[in-house]
Amino acid sequence: MTHSYATRAWAMHHMSKDFFGLQTISRSACVKPRTIQSWFRQETQRADFTLRMPREYERSMGIILLNLFPERIETIALLTHTNIRALLQWRLENRKDPLSSDLRHRTFEAVIKLKPLVNKAIKKHGVDKFFNNKLLWPDPNLIYERTWRELDLLLIKDLYELFDWRYSMDNDGGLSRDKKLKPKTMIGPHFMRYTEITSEGQHFPLESFRYVRKTGHMLGWYNIEAVKNAKIADELLPPDWGIRDKVVPFRAKKEAKLLDEIYEKEQKPLVYVLKFAAG
C-alpha cells in the first residue's frame, strides 16, 4: 500500500518522541511495522530514501485543476510535479477506486475539501494569476490536519480500550472481561530503535538511547501522560495555525454519498470512522 505524506509525518513524529513503541504506532496508523522501520531508518539517515512521489496535496490539486481546465493539462502536470500520463491516472483512480490505498483515500478527501477553495480563489484572482502564483493556492495543512487529528483519535481510542480493560481486571477480579477480548498491549520504544544492522554485526550510533529511554510508563491501568502524548496534531501544524478546519468544514455526508455512488453498496465501517473523526 502506498501511504500519504500526512500518515508518514504522523508516524515519524511519534517515533522521534520516543514515547510509544513501534507496534503501537503502526497499529494506530494502519501501517505495517516494517514499513515504519524503513521510514525511520531513512529519517535518521541510516538508509537511502526510496522513490519520491507527489503528496496527496499535489495529487488533489492536479485532479481539481484538470477537471476545471482540461485544455491546460501540460501546465497542470508541471505545477504538480508529474507528467500527463500520471495526472490522468490520478483522476481515474479518484473516480473509480479511491479507497485502494491510503494515499488515494487521502487524495479523495482532499479533492472534496479543496475544490470549493480553488473555485473561490479562481473567481477572485482570475485563472492566469492563480496558475502563475502558488501562494494563491489553498494551504496544504487544511488537508493534513484532517489526517493527523483522525490518527490521534484512533490512538487515543486504543489507549482507553486498554486502560478500561486493565481497570476492570484490577477492580472486578477479571469477571467482567473475557480474556479473548484483551486489547493489544502497548509498551514503550524498544532499546534497539536506533540500531543499524551492518554486515559486521550490530552498531549503535546512539548508544546512550538505551540508558535514557523511558521504560514501564505504559504498564499502569491509567496514564494521563500517555493520552497527552497521543495528541500530536497541534505539534505538526504551524505555531500560528488558527484555522482549525473552519474555512471549509468537513462534510462527512457528502463524502459518504460519493463513496456509495462509486462502490454501489452500503456504507463501510470506514465511513463511520470518518464521521466520528469529523466530530
Side-chain angles (χ1 to χ4, degrees):
M1 175 183 284
T2 305
H3 297 279
S4 66
Y5 159 77
T7 298
R8 174 170 176 153
W10 185 88
M12 289 302 95
H13 191 69
H14 267 305
M15 289 289 287
S16 66
K17 287 171 69 70
D18 295 327
F19 188 90
F20 293 104
L22 172 64
Q23 299 293 335
T24 301
I25 298 170
S26 65
R27 194 161 55 238
S28 299
C30 302
V31 180
K32 293 181 179 179
R34 290 183 64 87
T35 300
I36 292 186
Q37 285 179 326
S38 298
W39 291 349
F40 193 60
R41 285 196 298 270
Q42 293 168 357
E43 291 291 330
T44 53
Q45 299 181 352
R46 290 178 290 128
D48 295 332
F49 276 93
T50 52
L51 181 65
R52 296 177 182 272
M53 301 175 63
R55 300 175 178 179
E56 59 268 38
Y57 177 74
E58 285 76 17
R59 288 169 175 259
S60 60
M61 287 298 298
I63 293 169
I64 294 170
L65 293 176
L66 181 59
N67 289 334
L68 292 174
F69 310 104
E71 71 281 359
R72 299 197 179 195
I73 187 171
E74 293 184 1
T75 302
I76 297 171
L78 290 174
L79 291 174
T80 53
H81 312 292
T82 189
N83 53 59
I84 294 176
R85 181 176 180 179
L87 186 60
L88 293 171
Q89 182 67 25
W90 294 350
R91 184 170 66 176
L92 178 63
E93 294 168 351
N94 194 67
R95 288 177 176 176
K96 300 297 184 180
D97 202 12
L99 299 184
S100 57
S101 75
D102 177 60
L103 179 59
R104 294 177 185 177
H105 173 207
R106 300 305 178 182
T107 300
F108 181 81
E109 295 175 341
V111 169
I112 296 174
K113 184 159 190 171
L114 297 182
K115 186 177 179 180
L117 288 178
V118 172
N119 290 332
K120 183 177 180 180
I122 291 176
K123 184 177 180 180
K124 179 178 180 180
H125 302 286
V127 177
D128 292 334
K129 192 172 182 180
F130 185 83
F131 270 79
N132 294 326
N133 187 358
K134 280 193 172 183
L135 293 177
L136 302 178
W137 289 25
D139 191 334
N141 286 306
L142 286 168
I143 59 175
Y144 300 152
E145 179 191 16
R146 159 82 185 280
T147 304
W148 293 331
R149 296 203 183 282
E150 181 180 316
L151 294 178
D152 281 358
L153 284 172
L154 291 175
L155 178 52
I156 293 172
K157 176 179 175 290
D158 289 342
L159 285 171
Y160 276 123
E161 285 182 354
L162 181 61
F163 295 155
D164 290 345
W165 185 87
R166 287 174 175 168
Y167 178 81
S168 298
M169 293 296 292
D170 291 342
N171 293 273
D172 300 336
L175 298 177
S176 62
R177 294 281 179 170
D178 189 329
K179 291 184 179 180
K180 295 181 180 180
L181 300 178
K182 180 181 178 181
K184 294 290 185 179
T185 301
M186 299 185 184
I187 58 177
H190 193 270
F191 74 94
M192 293 181 66
R193 173 165 287 188
Y194 293 92
T195 301
E196 180 180 0
I197 306 298
T198 66
S199 58
E200 300 176 355
Q202 298 181 355
H203 172 62
F204 296 88
L206 292 177
E207 194 168 333
S208 61
F209 171 73
R210 292 184 294 169
Y211 308 106
V212 300
R213 72 186 180 96
K214 293 174 67 68
T215 58
H217 57 288
M218 298 296 295
L219 299 179
W221 61 263
Y222 186 77
N223 193 327
I224 298 177
E225 185 183 13
V227 176
K228 181 179 179 181
N229 278 276
K231 302 176 182 178
I232 63 169
D234 287 331
E235 299 176 19
L236 291 167
L237 291 165
D240 58 345
W241 180 257
I243 299 178
R244 296 292 185 273
D245 206 19
K246 295 179 180 178
V247 174
V248 182
F250 171 65
R251 292 171 288 183
K253 291 183 179 179
K254 181 176 180 180
E255 181 176 344
K257 181 179 179 181
L258 288 174
L259 291 176
D260 287 343
E261 292 175 354
I262 292 172
Y263 292 103
E264 296 181 352
K265 60 179 65 175
E266 295 182 357
Q267 293 183 13
K268 298 181 179 181
L270 174 62
V271 178
Y272 174 77
V273 172
L274 296 178
K275 290 183 178 180
F276 175 75

